[in-house]
Each structure stands twice: as structure tokens, then as C-alpha cells.
Amino acid sequence: MANALGNKVASLIALLAITKLPTFIYGSGTILIKGGTVANHDLAFPSDVLIRDGIITEVAPTIEAPPGATVLDAGGMYVMPGGIDPHTHLDMPFMGSVAVDDFFSGQVAALAGGTTMHIDFALPVNHDLMAGYKLWKEKASRSCMDYGFHMAITRWDEQVSKDMAELVLEGINSFKFFMAYKNVLQVTDSELVEGLQRCKDLGALPMVHAENGDAIAWLQSRLLSAGIRGPEGQALSRPPALEGEATSRAIRLAGVVGVPLYVVHVMSIDAMEEIARARRSGQRVVGEPVASGLALEENPLWDSNFTRAAAFVMSPPIRSAEHGQALKKALASGVLQLVATDHAVFNSTQKAAGRNDFTRIPNGVNGIEERLHVTWQEMVVTGLSTPSDFVRMTSTAAAQIFNIYPRKGRVAAGSDADVIVLDPRVTHTLGVGSHHSRMDTNVYEGKQIQGKVVATISRGRLVWHQGKLNVEPNSGRFVPMPAFGPLFEGLDEQYRRRGIFPYGPTPVLRGPEAAAGTAATTSQSCRSEL
């Protein structure tokens, strides 16, 4: 139904044309954006956009300003759907610390960077999913924009299975399984398979952090024994091969179960090629690179300044330059689908806990504010992608994958008024001096960007304009995401046609009592039950 509506909207929008005009007039809750180029994931065209009561009400060549409306001049600029960051960790306890950005400071940073919705990972409390969900709802009470939740699964039992069903009813349609962080978050292969099957039953999307946690623990021990204790140990203990192996394993297990799979923070050629191979074979696998993996490289981990080196510690680690180049090409060509951040920020004092042992450095880098600008610079300014491609990878793909399109991820009549205005002529520099996060470091320090989000509209509110924020805590909203999204459409038929029993009738009845044809009949019964 959502796809059908999206197609109708696209058809109507394709008929529209152009114009431009200028200047700002501040008024009531009605906003008119004049003279910009509307960029959706499938089409870019000159148009005005009218917003009333938190909804886009009209997209047309020329719209007269209603009395008292705020009029934004977007001449020479792009008008796009607000960004959706599908991978954040706000106010997260991890490795003995708590991330310094909470649901207000992190969302303030997001809005300043053009992101109008994010999906945060809720963690169980002592493996209790419902307790984790309750805690994350409390954390999010300070929010100032739209958000959703994924839920992490850290063990398997009957209660977890029941709680997953309850969470789907609450509007969580994705569950994350860690294949790393041994003895803390990591699940076994048998637990992963159980979880994959449960996700299939519920119409929820399974997600994996794909690294071989057992091999990483082995390498960490060897490196520490050899006297390698600094941040460089993060890269040395988590080589691309271990990301590729785990990605391959998760993909194959999902294929056996017959469920779509979402691979978070794809950081290496090894993992990307496993995803490409699976997609070529017809398997439904989503690959999510993160902004840091596209724009940065691993050399800072060897910096003699511990504070700078530790700031770059994340898992999987940032790789050498050739990996980033390959990931950008895969993103441009559609092998990888969307860009996230894995925003999990720990300040220099918190990271100093691992000064003499890299395994104790809290993992995570910033990006919730920088994601759109970094992606624009790396993908559009370089000519790898078009503005419409940019919209796909920063907004629309996430809305489609998590089943909230075209409510989100599109500039069209009837969609939520989450809209940004991006001026491709403005040059600016990223860093601590200009960011809105509580972090005291920034992994993009000094990076120059050509193109800037100059206005952000969240649910019809002009929250970022002329370099100023206008937001209040406790004004955010949880967005439920329905189960059985587009990735599940037709999957049962694909699985059935592939054939669960490729070698003939099963089970085979043997002995004099087996009448002719019984095996075939039993096989059909078996198939229907599965």
C-alpha cells in the first residue's frame, strides 16, 4: 500500500514545473518555501513548497503566500526531505561510560545538520528487552524531534521471543544482533538463527553488527601480550577479514532462514563484497556504510597524541583509504543503500580510561550533525552521485526500509513537513568550534565542505535558520514503525520457488509398508507446514 501511494505521489510530482522569488517574512505556523529546486530520490524539479500544521500541503510551480506565512527564499538552493539517521546511540552506557550526547543535545546537533529523524538502538537491561525499552523511553523524554527505536538482542530465551512480539506492537520493527563484544553483547550462531527465525515470523528486520568476536578477543590478547596497548591496537585486532567473515556468515544464515538482513556500519571492502555477492544472487541484504567510513582513514589511530588517536576508536574500525573509496563507489552504484553515523560519543576524559589498554577505550565517533554535509561532499561535490542520489542515501532509503515512506523521506503533499534547504554555494569547515554536540573532539576537525544546510524544518517548525537553533526539550515524538515492510513483500513466494527440498521428496519412507506415492504426499505436507 505504501509503495502504491509512493508511486502515485511520484507520478503527480513529475508533472510539476518551476519558478523563483526572494526574501524572508516571519509569521505563523505556515511556511512557504519559494523558488528552490525540490530534490526527491527519483526526481529533481523547480517548485514552491507550502507547509501547514506540520504537513506538506502543496508542491507546485507557483504558490501565493498565505496571510501571515513565513516565506523562505530558496533561490539557487535545493529543497529536500530531512535526513533520517538509522543508526545512533544517544545516552548509551557502554564500556564503563555513558555517551555524552543525550536525546536533547544529540538531536539539537542533528537538526543543525539537517537530520530530522533518527533511529536509536535501545539496549536490554540485564538482557530484559521490556526493561530496556522502558528505560530508553525515559531517556527520550528530553527529545526535540522525531525518533524511533531498534532493539538489541543480547541472549536468547522464551521470554526474549515473547518480548519481541510485544515490541513489534509498540512500533519497533527491527532487532540488532551483535556478533562481536564477546562476553558482553555477543550472541552465538544458534542464538542468531533463533532470532532470525523470530524476526521472520514477526515481520521485523534483523540487523547484525558483523565482526567475528571470538577471533577479535584472541587477537586482542595476543596484541596486549606483545606490548601493543595504544589505539592502533583497535585496527590491528579487528582486521577487514574478520568483518568479511562475519558478514558472510550472517548473510548465509539469513538465507537459510529466508529472512531479509540489514548489515550495520559496513566499513570494509571485504564486507561490501559479501553484500554485493548476496544481492546479485537475489538475496535481500541491506548494507549501511557510515559517514566516517566514507570520509576518513585509519592513520590517526597511530598518532602519537593519545587524545587524537583515541577519538578515532570505533568498531568496526575506520580502515585504510582504499576501503573508503570502494565503499563510496558501492554506495553510488546502489550496492550499498544508505548512510548512517553510528553516533556514539565519549569525550577525551572518558576515552582516557584506555590509555594503557586499547580494549578499554569506549568505542564511538561523532557524526549525527556532520552526516549530511560529509555525504554531500564525498558523493555529490566529487561527482559520484546526483542530488537525488543524495536524498536516497540520506533519507528515502531509510524511510522505505523501515516502512515509514512516504510519510517520511519525500517532499510531497501529505508527507510530514520534515524539510531542509541546502545551499550548494556555501563553504564551511567542520570541527569542535562550530558543532552542537557536547563532545570536546571531532573526527572531522578541519574538513572543508562545499554546500550547507541553511534551514531545517521539523514537523512544520523552523528549527534551524541563519545559523540559529529554535528548539525546546520535551517537544520530540516517537514514530512507530510498522512490521512487514517492503523487504518482506514477495519473500515467501521467492523462498517457496527456491525450493526448501532441492534433492527430492522428503521425508523418505522406507520399508515394505511405504506405499507408492506416500513419500511425495508427505513431502507436500511438509512443504505446506514450512
Side-chain angles (χ1 to χ4, degrees):
M1 184 68 175
N3 283 348
L5 179 58
N7 291 335
K8 288 178 183 176
V9 170
S11 300
L12 291 170
I13 294 295
L15 301 174
L16 301 175
I18 51 202
T19 29
K20 298 187 176 179
L21 250 150
T23 242
F24 280 105
I25 312 157
Y26 288 92
S28 66
T30 299
I31 300 173
L32 176 62
I33 306 172
K34 294 287 294 182
T37 297
V38 169
N40 283 317
H41 76 286
D42 54 353
L43 186 68
F45 53 95
S47 189
D48 294 350
V49 178
L50 182 63
I51 293 167
R52 295 181 191 266
D53 301 323
I55 300 294
I56 299 170
T57 57
E58 189 178 357
V59 179
T62 304
I63 303 173
E64 293 298 319
T70 298
V71 180
L72 305 183
D73 172 25
M77 307 179 205
Y78 290 101
V79 180
M80 301 171 166
I84 301 173
D85 188 343
H87 188 154
T88 63
H89 298 280
L90 300 182
D91 203 3
M92 176 185 70
F94 189 54
M95 298 179 72
S97 295
V98 177
V100 295
D101 273 340
D102 63 16
F103 273 79
F104 182 65
S105 68
Q107 290 184 355
V108 162
L111 292 169
T115 289
T116 54
M117 180 176 173
H118 70 108
I119 311 177
D120 204 74
F121 283 93
L123 298 178
V125 175
N126 296 322
H127 307 292
D128 185 330
L129 271 58
M130 299 312 295
Y133 174 59
K134 180 181 178 183
L135 177 59
W136 250 256
K137 284 203 299 183
E138 292 171 0
K139 291 174 183 285
S141 63
R142 284 179 48 77
S143 66
C144 58
M145 65 183 243
D146 285 359
Y147 63 92
F149 291 138
H150 313 288
M151 176 57 74
I153 307 294
T154 54
R155 77 171 179 197
W156 189 258
D157 58 30
E158 189 58 34
Q159 189 59 50
V160 168
S161 179
K162 290 178 180 177
D163 288 347
M164 287 174 68
E166 183 66 25
L167 289 170
V168 167
L169 294 176
E170 292 285 330
I172 293 177
N173 67 0
S174 48
F175 295 92
K176 180 180 181 181
F177 300 85
F178 290 87
M179 302 172 76
Y181 301 118
K182 187 174 182 177
N183 299 324
V184 181
L185 298 170
Q186 183 177 333
V187 297
T188 64
D189 282 359
S190 61
E191 290 174 322
L192 176 57
V193 170
E194 292 280 8
L196 292 172
Q197 180 61 54
R198 186 59 168 153
C199 284
K200 180 181 179 180
D201 295 340
L202 296 171
L205 183 61
M207 314 172 82
V208 287
H209 173 136
E211 291 183 289
N212 187 316
D214 293 327
I216 288 168
W218 176 76
L219 280 173
Q220 287 174 335
S221 176
R222 288 175 62 85
L223 289 166
L224 291 171
S225 296
I228 298 172
R229 312 192 75 80
E232 68 276 12
Q234 183 75 1
L236 296 173
S237 64
R238 308 179 97 101
L242 298 188
E243 186 186 353
E245 183 278 332
T247 302
S248 172
R249 181 159 36 102
I251 287 171
R252 282 160 170 74
L253 292 175
V256 169
V257 172
V259 67
L261 184 71
Y262 185 114
V263 184
V264 303
H265 48 44
V266 177
M267 299 293 282
S268 67
I269 294 171
D270 305 54
M272 179 270 290
E273 288 183 342
E274 294 295 340
I275 293 166
R277 185 178 296 112
R279 289 175 64 85
R280 283 197 303 270
S281 73
Q283 194 170 342
R284 296 185 184 179
V285 181
V286 174
E288 171 209 271
V290 292
S292 55
L294 301 176
L296 306 175
E297 51 88 28
E298 66 184 0
N299 282 354
L301 290 168
W302 277 263
D303 197 296
S304 58
N305 181 319
F306 173 85
T307 298
R308 180 168 188 263
F312 281 73
V313 169
M314 65 176 293
S315 297
I318 296 164
R319 308 290 186 187
S320 54
E322 65 268 20
H323 290 276
Q325 292 299 323
L327 293 177
K328 285 185 282 190
K329 291 175 182 177
L331 181 63
S333 64
V335 172
L336 302 176
Q337 287 68 52
L338 73 172
V339 182
T341 61
D342 195 8
H343 182 88
V345 287
F346 301 93
N347 63 30
S348 56
T349 300
Q350 292 171 312
K351 294 238 178 186
R355 182 174 290 276
N356 297 310
D357 180 351
F358 69 88
T359 67
R360 298 181 60 195
I361 300 172
N363 291 191
V365 302
N366 62 287
I368 199 169
E369 182 170 357
E370 296 82 5
R371 179 181 69 111
L372 265 66
H373 292 131
V374 167
T375 305
W376 180 264
Q377 182 69 33
E378 296 296 323
M379 303 303 296
V380 181
V381 175
T382 61
L384 276 173
S385 300
T386 67
S388 286
D389 292 331
F390 170 82
V391 170
R392 167 183 63 83
M393 60 187 66
T394 60
S395 181
T396 309
Q400 292 171 333
I401 289 164
F402 295 105
N403 207 16
I404 49 175
Y405 178 85
R407 176 184 176 184
K408 304 286 188 185
R410 190 167 190 85
V411 176
S415 295
D416 283 359
D418 292 343
V419 180
I420 62 171
V421 179
L422 187 148
D423 190 339
R425 302 162 296 192
V426 176
T427 300
H428 59 116
T429 303
L430 303 180
V432 172
S434 60
H435 76 204
H436 296 80
S437 166
R438 290 176 177 164
M439 273 296 287
D440 60 352
T441 61
N442 189 315
V443 291
Y444 302 103
E445 189 69 45
K447 184 175 179 63
Q448 290 196 326
I449 305 291
Q450 179 65 50
K452 186 173 184 178
V453 174
V454 295
T456 303
I457 298 167
S458 169
R459 299 205 324 265
R461 306 165 300 163
L462 183 58
V463 293
W464 169 253
H465 178 235
Q466 294 181 338
K468 295 180 180 178
L469 281 157
N470 180 23
V471 290
E472 295 179 357
N474 312 311
S475 61
R477 177 179 64 177
F478 174 71
V479 176
M481 296 175 288
F484 291 103
L487 285 170
F488 284 84
E489 291 180 13
L491 194 63
D492 284 344
E493 179 63 16
Q494 181 191 107
Y495 193 56
R496 186 187 69 79
R497 286 173 180 265
R498 190 182 72 190
I500 305 170
F501 305 106
Y503 302 111
T506 304
V508 176
L509 300 181
R510 294 179 173 85
E513 70 281 0
T518 304
T521 304
T522 307
S523 173
Q524 287 301 320
S525 170
C526 238
R527 286 173 185 266
S528 63
E529 287 175 13
L530 290 170

